[in-house]
Amino acid sequence: YSSNSVNKSMRPRVVTPLPAPKLMDLSMFEGEHKESLYWGTYRPHVYFGIRARTPQSLLAGLMWIGVKDGRYFMRHVCQDSDELKTYGWTHHNGRDYGRQVLVDQNLKLTTSFLKSMEKESSYGGDWAVRIEAQSEVLKEEMEDTVHLFFYVAEEGGNALYLGSGRSDIPDVYILAFGSRNDIGSWQLHLESKDGFEFHYAGFKTNHIHNLSELVQTNLGVQARTVGRLQLSDTSDDAPNILVFQISAMIPFKADIAFVSRSSGSSSRTEDGVRSLLGESLTGRLEQKQKQFDDKFERCFNISDELNSDAITVGKAALGNLLGGIGYFYGQSKISLPPSSKRLPGTNYISYWPAELYTAVPSRPFFPRGFLWDEGFHQLLIWRWDVHISLDIIGHWLDLMNADGWIPREQILGAEALSKVPSEFVLQHPTNGNPPTLFLVLRDLVCGIKKNKFTASEKNDISTFLRQAFVRLDAWFKWFNTTQSGKDANTYYWHGRDNVTTRELNPKSLSSGLDDYPRASHPSEDERHLDLRCWMHLAADCMSSISDILDDSDIGKEYGLTANLLSDFELLNQMHFDQNNGAYFDYGNHTEKVRLSWRLAEAAGNHPNRELVREVLEKPVLRLVPHIGYVSLFPFMSRLIPPDSWMLEKQLDLISNTSTLWTNFGLRSLAKTSSLYMQRNTEHDPPYWRGPIWMNMNYMILSALNYYSKVDGPYRDRAKTIYNDLRNNLIRNVVRNYKETGYLWEQYDQKKGKGKGARLFTGWTSLIVLIMAEAYAEC
Ligand code: 6A9
């Protein structure tokens, strides 16, 4: 693949990359930077996995056998149904150190990861893994055996070689070796002072994502033939997967060291190996953990008023967000309109093969990139390691097509695809997703203005912004043209279904707020308040980037757009409802809709019932009276003057328990809304119609913090609400973590109970910034 061949081959525009220099071609992402991020725990969908940031990598990972009610289960890919009591990185710096704890019934596993760049090691350095298996049941005499399966696999199909067993170092075994173009020859070593039984199996296959099944099948055959839980000790010819079974009594500890040397430097391999095992590794892990703790303190400077439980949760949130960063390679599938003449039976076209380095919302449920989630993730990550952040944002912006569009959900490669139900796979080129990356860029620009960065960081950020500018400009224009409304300077999320009779209120997935209620009848007359505010953020941010780049012409234009979009009179004319004192969407709407059961066409001989929407009143053009996150966008965007009575109204809505306030955070939709906690279809329970979400609560807190600092009559009130909301959010997330072992996707508005996906350390990890009181400052 090269960008040239794409242009020459007359590909449809929708799958043609934007013809602009790529961010990832910037020299700041080459050399030492790139090498230092080569190996990592970049396989967030498995409980423990390592790969390099290269399309066809050498992979490593861990499986084990879990025992529940006397039955055996293979653990490998993160699955909620495994019902682990807890898991996730309690510490991880995103670069060369991480520590994860996993509790599976009575078995407690700790996996530590360490990377080391030695002079003598070849490209990307060496790495080590420590696996500790202990009993959760402290007092009982544990007689349990643990079965661990550590594997290496070559995505490119290169052959792997089984090690010769014992090495020259006592207690150290050579498990495997091989060689690759990128790193030269490598060896995988194992050390354990504890006794264990060893078995192996080798496979040759292109379907690495089916690894769990391969191992299970092998074990199944063995169980039937020799009656034991042990791999076959056989291998296909020239295997590209090697699995090593280590069975031992717990407590058990093993260290695994991966070293690579370019030819000629093999003499020092032994020292390199030693330093990654045993006591030396213990010392190095301890030192790294201390550095993590120190940096956490320095970086977030969390006040003493928060207790150690809160700090533990904060570290686990940040650690797992960083430890969950993945690297993916593959092609998105882009939906084609039915009219386009492709091969019969195909409804999609492939995007160009692309790499994506990205944090993920949830390792077990959504282990892949989501565009608007990513902006929230980066609010944390840039504060921790600005170069990781730029690298991630750069990858996202390089996914932009010639129209300035970026696909919302990135399902790249077979492993990622295997996790996604088919109805979610296709990406629609008419649909957007909030441009939250501007939230981060705004912080970075602000940081530059306020001199928060070192000279070299500042230099890199400016270079980045300079190269990014064309792409950001194209992105803005994509929204500005494709998502515009009927009237000047109005916008709405395109792509809502206006023919369905199944949905109580047709969803707008593109907004990110899925089922948050909008006008009952989607039409071109709609004006979406949140999108208007996102456009304001984007224009405003573009204008301040232009300042930094000294590009005053474009800057002026963006400045004008930002002014228009923040014009208070205009905003009020289009969106303010006097009676409710609230800001609303506008569109073709009636409140009088309901779902009811109808007799549907008979399927066979059985009459069928289906849930359809009844409209009891003709919709009219009007403001759409739902109070909730969307109504607070002008407030979040700080568009309301501090002395305006409309600000007081927003504070009323926020602090009122019969609208948005709960003791656990702010509800997504007011209790008074006609769609509060209503199902959207038979199979679609309320999602953004009541529960508490951290990303929006963070934005609201950020605005409360702002209004509590600028002069005005509502300053003290904003401060009180700010404090209460902040305390409620922290207390509830910490309590849930203690009680359940997890951070959750959302929190229930009645009891504050964690809901939806668990181990959701995407935007829920914003709790760290809430603890740190770190918000947008400009
Ligand atoms: C479902 C199910 C094994 C929904 O966090 C990612 C997104 C957000 O961007 C969006 O705002 N989540 C929010 O409303 C999750 C979306 C998951 C869609 C795919 C696959 C797999 O279950």
Side-chain angles (χ1 to χ4, degrees):
Y1 161 75
S2 80
S3 42
N4 266 343
S5 65
V6 167
N7 293 336
K8 282 191 203 123
S9 67
M10 301 281 290
R11 282 171 149 254
R13 202 177 151 83
V14 69
V15 293
T16 304
L18 188 83
K22 291 171 102 190
L23 286 160
M24 295 325 293
D25 287 342
L26 283 170
S27 65
M28 75 176 84
F29 297 125
E30 300 291 335
E32 208 185 311
H33 169 89
K34 190 165 186 171
E35 184 173 357
S36 73
L37 289 173
Y38 199 59
W39 293 108
T41 55
Y42 303 134
R43 302 175 64 218
H45 59 292
V46 293
Y47 287 118
F48 180 84
I50 294 174
R51 66 170 295 139
R53 295 202 314 166
T54 188
Q56 303 217 297
S57 179
L58 177 71
L59 314 178
L62 177 70
M63 305 184 202
W64 73 92
I65 290 180
V67 188
K68 195 184 165 195
D69 305 330
R71 293 185 57 201
Y72 295 131
F73 299 91
M74 186 56 90
R75 312 293 195 204
H76 180 213
V77 176
C78 301
Q79 286 189 121
D80 197 54
S81 54
D82 291 346
E83 294 187 335
L84 266 55
K85 281 189 203 135
T86 185
Y87 67 98
W89 297 96
T90 58
H91 304 71
H92 200 299
N93 64 15
R95 288 185 174 268
D96 60 5
Y97 169 69
R99 176 177 176 274
Q100 179 177 225
V101 177
L102 311 100
V103 180
D104 186 3
Q105 302 296 323
N106 290 338
L107 175 67
K108 174 176 169 184
L109 287 174
T110 307
T111 60
S112 305
F113 171 72
L114 180 110
K115 208 168 71 175
S116 138
M117 310 288 277
E118 302 297 332
K119 264 197 256 65
E120 60 272 18
S121 57
S122 58
Y123 191 82
D126 303 331
W127 46 262
V129 179
R130 169 165 291 176
I131 305 166
E132 291 161 280
Q134 288 158 301
S135 165
E136 261 292 276
V137 203
L138 288 172
K139 299 241 164 54
E140 258 171 62
E141 268 297 303
M142 288 297 303
E143 292 271 291
D144 280 356
T145 305
V146 64
H147 299 277
L148 303 169
F149 301 82
F150 194 86
Y151 62 83
V152 279
E154 273 283 3
E155 284 187 309
N158 284 347
L160 300 171
Y161 300 91
L162 199 61
S164 50
R166 264 173 210 287
S167 72
D168 298 338
I169 320 173
D171 296 322
V172 175
Y173 307 83
I174 301 178
L175 291 178
F177 62 93
S179 117
R180 291 177 54 88
N181 290 338
D182 50 358
I183 60 167
S185 55
W186 57 265
Q187 290 185 349
L188 189 72
H189 302 258
L190 170 87
E191 180 187 62
S192 181
K193 299 242 155 43
D194 305 327
F196 63 89
E197 201 180 311
F198 178 86
H199 298 281
Y200 74 92
F203 306 97
K204 185 168 174 58
T205 171
N206 293 325
H207 301 285
I208 293 183
H209 58 280
N210 288 340
L211 188 52
S212 322
E213 283 90 89
L214 283 177
V215 172
Q216 260 167 295
T217 307
N218 186 296
L219 286 173
V221 171
Q222 286 288 104
R224 282 193 298 279
T225 52
V226 297
R228 299 201 52 193
L229 199 59
Q230 63 184 43
L231 288 173
S232 60
D233 295 320
T234 59
S235 174
D236 295 346
D237 272 349
N240 65 326
I241 300 177
L242 288 176
V243 185
F244 309 105
Q245 177 179 2
I246 297 153
S247 303
M249 303 293 278
I250 51 178
F252 174 76
K253 179 163 97 179
D255 294 342
I256 290 168
F258 177 92
V259 295
S260 61
R261 297 289 178 267
S262 38
S263 56
S265 62
S266 57
S267 56
R268 305 211 43 198
T269 308
E270 203 175 298
D271 290 347
V273 173
R274 271 184 212 275
S275 79
L276 287 172
L277 299 169
E279 269 165 37
S280 165
L281 179 61
T282 306
R284 295 175 77 171
L285 289 173
E286 279 168 4
Q287 191 194 1
K288 285 285 176 192
Q289 172 143 340
K290 173 139 195 339
Q291 286 169 1
F292 174 91
D293 289 339
D294 291 348
K295 184 168 177 183
F296 187 88
E297 224 178 287
R298 240 184 305 128
C299 204
F300 299 111
N301 197 16
I302 295 176
S303 81
D304 301 338
E305 127 244 15
L306 290 176
N307 61 21
S308 65
D309 281 346
I311 305 295
T312 304
V313 175
K315 286 179 183 170
L318 175 77
N320 203 67
L321 177 68
L322 291 165
I325 291 176
Y327 168 94
F328 305 91
Y329 180 80
Q331 292 171 271
S332 290
K333 295 183 177 181
I334 310 302
S335 157
L336 285 171
S339 56
S340 68
K341 296 193 194 85
R342 310 279 321 171
L343 294 174
T346 51
N347 57 346
Y348 74 88
I349 182 169
S350 293
Y351 223 47
W352 63 90
E355 302 178 86
L356 181 62
Y357 171 60
T358 183
V360 304
S362 166
R363 290 172 52 198
F365 283 88
F366 323 122
R368 52 189 176 275
F370 285 83
L371 182 53
W372 93 301
D373 296 61
E374 203 48 39
F376 293 106
H377 303 156
Q378 295 314 313
L379 291 178
L380 244 106
I381 296 180
W382 79 257
R383 289 173 160 95
W384 178 260
D385 188 324
V386 78
H387 285 102
I388 290 183
S389 230
L390 294 178
D391 195 321
I392 289 177
I393 299 169
H395 273 92
W396 274 100
L397 293 178
D398 284 349
L399 289 171
M400 190 175 288
N401 77 1
D403 293 322
W405 174 70
I406 305 177
R408 170 165 62 104
E409 187 173 341
Q410 296 286 331
I411 306 159
L412 305 177
E415 283 196 296
L417 190 61
S418 66
K419 274 263 175 176
V420 187
S422 57
E423 70 266 31
F424 292 103
V425 169
L426 298 192
Q427 299 300 303
H428 300 272
T430 44
N431 295 4
N433 204 209
T436 53
L437 297 178
F438 282 111
L439 290 170
V440 192
L441 299 177
R442 183 183 60 182
D443 277 359
L444 295 180
V445 170
C446 175
I448 287 184
K449 287 186 179 155
K450 295 199 163 187
N451 252 321
K452 294 234 159 140
F453 295 109
T454 66
S456 90
E457 284 172 342
K458 182 178 161 184
N459 187 42
D460 285 345
I461 297 169
S462 311
T463 308
F464 181 92
L465 292 173
R466 196 172 301 281
Q467 184 111 320
F469 200 82
V470 218
R471 289 178 180 272
L472 297 172
D473 186 48
W475 204 25
F476 182 90
K477 291 191 169 122
W478 182 86
F479 280 98
N480 203 32
T481 50
T482 69
Q483 307 295 300
S484 59
K486 254 190 183 166
D487 299 319
N489 302 302
T490 66
Y491 302 92
Y492 69 97
W493 294 109
H494 286 50
R496 294 184 71 204
D497 185 343
N498 63 0
V499 292
T500 176
T501 55
R502 302 299 175 102
E503 296 177 59
L504 183 57
N505 185 282
K507 293 210 272 201
S508 36
L509 296 176
S510 49
S511 73
L513 306 170
D514 300 17
D515 65 338
Y516 185 94
R518 309 283 182 162
S520 61
H521 289 69
S523 75
E524 293 175 0
D525 293 301
E526 277 186 87
R527 303 177 199 148
H528 289 149
L529 185 55
D530 51 337
L531 184 50
R532 179 190 179 86
C533 292
W534 289 121
M535 294 306 286
H536 169 258
L537 167 74
D540 187 51
C541 186
M542 287 303 279
S543 142
S544 41
I545 296 174
S546 319
D547 278 356
I548 288 201
L549 304 181
D550 287 323
D551 193 336
S552 54
D553 285 352
I554 302 191
K556 238 183 235 148
E557 218 173 287
Y558 274 113
L560 289 175
T561 309
N563 284 345
L564 266 175
L565 292 173
S566 59
D567 184 287
F568 196 48
E569 287 304 307
L570 230 62
L571 172 72
N572 290 335
Q573 270 169 37
M574 292 195 183
H575 293 285
F576 191 69
D577 178 274
Q578 300 276 343
N579 299 332
N580 286 285
Y583 290 93
F584 291 141
D585 282 347
Y586 177 87
N588 195 23
H589 182 72
T590 166
E591 284 285 282
K592 301 225 157 51
V593 290
R594 66 174 182 217
L595 291 176
S596 45
W597 290 103
R598 285 284 172 79
L599 220 51
E601 303 233 329
N605 286 330
H606 304 285
N608 236 340
R609 268 156 38 101
E610 60 181 9
L611 207 50
V612 294
R613 180 170 89 163
E614 280 185 295
V615 180
L616 307 169
E617 172 192 87
K618 194 172 179 298
V620 293
L621 289 177
R622 54 170 291 188
L623 291 169
V624 182
H626 295 291
I627 291 166
Y629 290 161
V630 166
S631 4
L632 293 179
F633 263 79
F635 175 78
M636 291 183 219
S637 311
R638 309 174 183 187
L639 296 181
I640 307 172
D643 55 1
S644 159
W645 63 273
M646 292 167 194
L647 178 60
E648 185 177 29
K649 287 289 173 193
Q650 308 311 297
L651 296 176
D652 289 344
L653 295 175
I654 288 172
S655 58
N656 187 339
T657 51
S658 54
T659 46
L660 297 175
W661 189 267
T662 81
N663 290 335
F664 322 103
L666 298 182
R667 292 185 188 94
S668 37
L669 189 63
K671 249 172 137 177
T672 50
S673 160
S674 57
L675 293 193
Y676 176 68
M677 290 309 283
Q678 294 294 308
R679 299 181 84 81
N680 201 38
T681 67
E682 186 185 355
H683 307 288
D684 227 346
Y687 199 37
W688 294 84
R689 294 184 181 173
I692 297 156
W693 295 78
M694 197 56 65
N695 57 343
M696 293 293 113
N697 273 279
Y698 173 79
M699 303 259 286
I700 294 161
L701 262 185
S702 173
L704 283 165
N705 180 58
Y706 163 76
Y707 286 113
S708 75
K709 296 207 159 129
V710 291
D711 272 341
Y714 313 112
R715 188 177 164 160
D716 292 344
R717 179 143 184 241
K719 181 78 195 166
T720 310
I721 300 176
Y722 167 81
N723 284 332
D724 291 348
L725 179 57
R726 173 170 175 267
N727 290 336
N728 287 345
L729 289 164
I730 295 174
R731 190 185 338 101
N732 193 52
V733 169
V734 171
R735 176 179 65 98
N736 268 279
Y737 187 83
K738 270 188 97 171
E739 283 174 15
T740 67
Y742 289 98
L743 282 103
W744 294 77
E745 183 184 16
Q746 340 137 30
Y747 293 86
D748 154 79
Q749 73 289 349
K750 279 201 184 125
K751 297 249 166 73
K753 212 168 155 297
K755 284 182 60 147
R758 62 177 178 181
L759 206 174
F760 187 102
T761 40
W763 55 46
T764 301
S765 51
L766 288 170
I767 198 69
V768 177
L769 297 188
I770 294 175
M771 292 180 188
E773 310 200 65
Y775 309 108
E777 286 180 35
C778 291

